[in-house]
């Protein structure tokens, strides 16, 4: 429910309407929470590029790499409980990964591990693109990251989805719970995020829009709601679905110390 001043709400809606055209998007959704707890959610655009069907306000989107912040929160929760140390090397869990005895949890979190990005491997992209309903197994994800590195661990920085794919798998090993169960137990349920889901699971919401990806493929690659290949490949690096307001609630809670202790949040920053 929008509780913000109508004038400001209209101004925000105009920004969204402009952005859809400027960035050639099918649709865009945004949410704002003010310090006085007044809230606004807006959406602009259509369900696809045909421009025929307006996107409903209650639409759910694949939030892609914004998932990484949620996964980082789970890792830091484990640190707070003493079950994980940022300086632990990942050979404890995955000795088959190249340089695993030198790559630390901290390096995974801050993208200094040197591991190659999962989505830069053409065969991986091809398989996921051709077989939309594929479910990637854990051992397959590991096999994709034990062949080479970009640099010696800790010596440089390079954004890599591999870091957060591995973090998700490590979180599962330590907690003895699935990544989805971890998200539910530590984030979704405590914050009452009723419009946040983890893929791949079976049809989590009828309000999920198709996504259109222009970065992995040279054309807008459509990610239909029932597609599982990309999400089961991305897991902890990019498999959450959410509304903009649920994301805003999560961010607001995180940076106000409602999920993690503030010194932990400072460590993340």
């Amino acid at each position: 429910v929008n509780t913000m001043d109508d004038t400001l709400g209209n101004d925000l809606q105009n920004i969204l309407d402009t952005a859809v055209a400027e960035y050639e998007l099918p649709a865009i959704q945004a949410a704002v929470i003010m310090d006085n707890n007044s809230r606004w959610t807006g959406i602009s655009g259509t369900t696809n590029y045909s421009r025929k069907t307006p996107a409903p306000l209650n639409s759910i989107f694949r939030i892609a790499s914004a998932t990484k912040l949620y996964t980082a929160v789970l890792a830091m929760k484990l640190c707070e409980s003493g079950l994980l140390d940022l300086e632990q090397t990942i050979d404890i869990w995955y000795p088959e990964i190249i340089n695993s005895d030198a790559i630390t949890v901290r390096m995974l979190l801050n993208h200094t591990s040197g591991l190659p990005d999962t989505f830069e491997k053409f065969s991986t992209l091809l398989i996921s693109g051709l077989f939309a309903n594929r479910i990637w197994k854990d051992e397959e994800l590991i096999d994709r990251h034990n062949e080479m590195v970009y640099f010696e661990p800790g010596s440089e920085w390079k954004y890599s989805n591999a870091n957060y794919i591995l973090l998700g798998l490590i979180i599962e090993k330590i907690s003895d719970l699935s990544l989805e169960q971890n998200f539910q137990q530590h984030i979704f349920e405590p914050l009452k995020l009723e419009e946040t889901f983890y893929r791949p699971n079976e049809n989590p919401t009828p309000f999920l829009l198709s996504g259109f990806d222009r970065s992995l493929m040279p054309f807008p690659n459509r990610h239909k709601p029932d597609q599982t290949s990309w999400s089961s490949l991305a897991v902890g690096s990019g498999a959450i679905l959410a509304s903009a307001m649920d994301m805003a609630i999560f961010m607001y809670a995180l940076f106000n110390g409602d999920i993690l202790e503030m010194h932990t949040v400072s460590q993340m920053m």
Side-chain angles (χ1 to χ4, degrees):
V1 177
N2 287 337
T3 57
M4 190 172 289
D5 172 78
D6 287 344
T7 300
L8 181 53
N10 290 335
D11 289 343
L12 292 169
Q13 185 62 50
N14 288 335
I15 292 172
L16 286 191
D17 295 341
T18 301
V20 163
E22 181 178 351
Y23 299 107
E24 300 178 352
L25 305 171
I28 186 171
Q29 185 189 59
V32 176
I33 301 175
M34 304 291 279
D35 282 340
N36 64 4
N37 204 36
S38 64
R39 301 183 177 198
W40 176 87
T41 301
I43 196 165
S44 185
T46 52
T47 57
N48 56 45
Y49 280 105
S50 70
R51 297 297 183 210
K52 292 180 180 179
T53 307
L57 183 61
N58 63 347
S59 296
I60 305 293
F61 291 75
R62 298 177 186 275
I63 72 168
S65 285
T67 298
K68 291 179 176 65
L69 185 54
Y70 296 70
T71 302
V73 165
L74 293 183
M76 299 309 284
K77 290 283 283 187
L78 289 172
C79 289
E80 286 186 345
S81 63
L83 296 174
L84 183 64
D85 188 312
L86 294 181
E87 308 313 324
Q88 285 177 284
T89 52
I90 66 171
D91 57 326
I92 301 171
W93 307 284
Y94 291 107
E96 63 270 40
I97 296 288
I98 190 168
N99 282 349
S100 62
D101 60 344
I103 295 172
T104 65
V105 174
R106 187 187 297 276
M107 291 175 190
L108 296 181
L109 284 161
N110 66 20
H111 296 286
T112 58
S113 71
L115 291 172
D117 196 315
T118 315
F119 295 99
E120 290 181 1
K121 192 169 185 176
F122 180 73
S123 62
T124 304
L125 299 180
L126 187 63
I127 292 168
S128 291
L130 291 176
F131 303 99
N133 297 111
R134 191 181 199 278
I135 299 288
W136 290 84
K137 297 180 175 63
D138 289 358
E139 54 268 27
E140 293 177 310
L141 298 180
I142 296 301
D143 286 343
R144 296 272 145 181
H145 305 108
N146 62 1
E147 299 172 0
M148 60 169 283
V149 292
Y150 284 136
F151 48 79
E152 288 302 306
S155 65
E156 298 181 41
W157 181 94
K158 187 180 188 301
Y159 184 92
S160 175
N161 286 283
N163 293 312
Y164 278 76
I165 290 172
L166 284 174
L167 276 170
L169 297 177
I170 289 169
I171 288 165
E172 290 185 331
K173 279 184 174 287
I174 294 174
S175 65
D176 204 26
L177 296 171
S178 70
L179 196 57
E180 179 176 10
Q181 289 171 320
N182 273 282
F183 283 134
Q184 290 285 356
Q185 181 175 320
H186 296 295
I187 301 175
F188 301 172
E189 290 175 2
L191 297 180
K192 297 180 172 59
L193 302 181
E194 297 180 358
E195 296 178 323
T196 304
F197 308 90
Y198 176 77
R199 264 312 237 177
N201 52 16
E202 294 184 5
N203 302 318
T205 169
F207 306 112
L208 176 64
L209 294 186
S210 288
F212 295 88
D213 188 353
R214 293 179 294 196
S215 61
L216 296 178
M217 298 290 185
F219 54 89
N221 181 34
R222 186 178 183 187
H223 295 232
K224 296 180 180 179
D226 63 350
Q227 177 263 71
T228 58
S229 183
W230 293 108
S231 51
S232 68
L233 177 64
V235 287
S237 75
I240 286 180
L241 324 171
S243 66
M245 180 53 76
D246 264 17
M247 290 186 73
I249 292 169
F250 165 69
M251 299 288 185
Y252 196 89
L254 174 59
F255 292 106
N256 280 280
D258 296 331
I259 306 177
L260 298 169
E261 297 174 16
M262 285 308 298
H263 71 85
T264 305
V265 177
S266 296
Q267 173 86 294
M268 293 175 73
M269 297 296 289

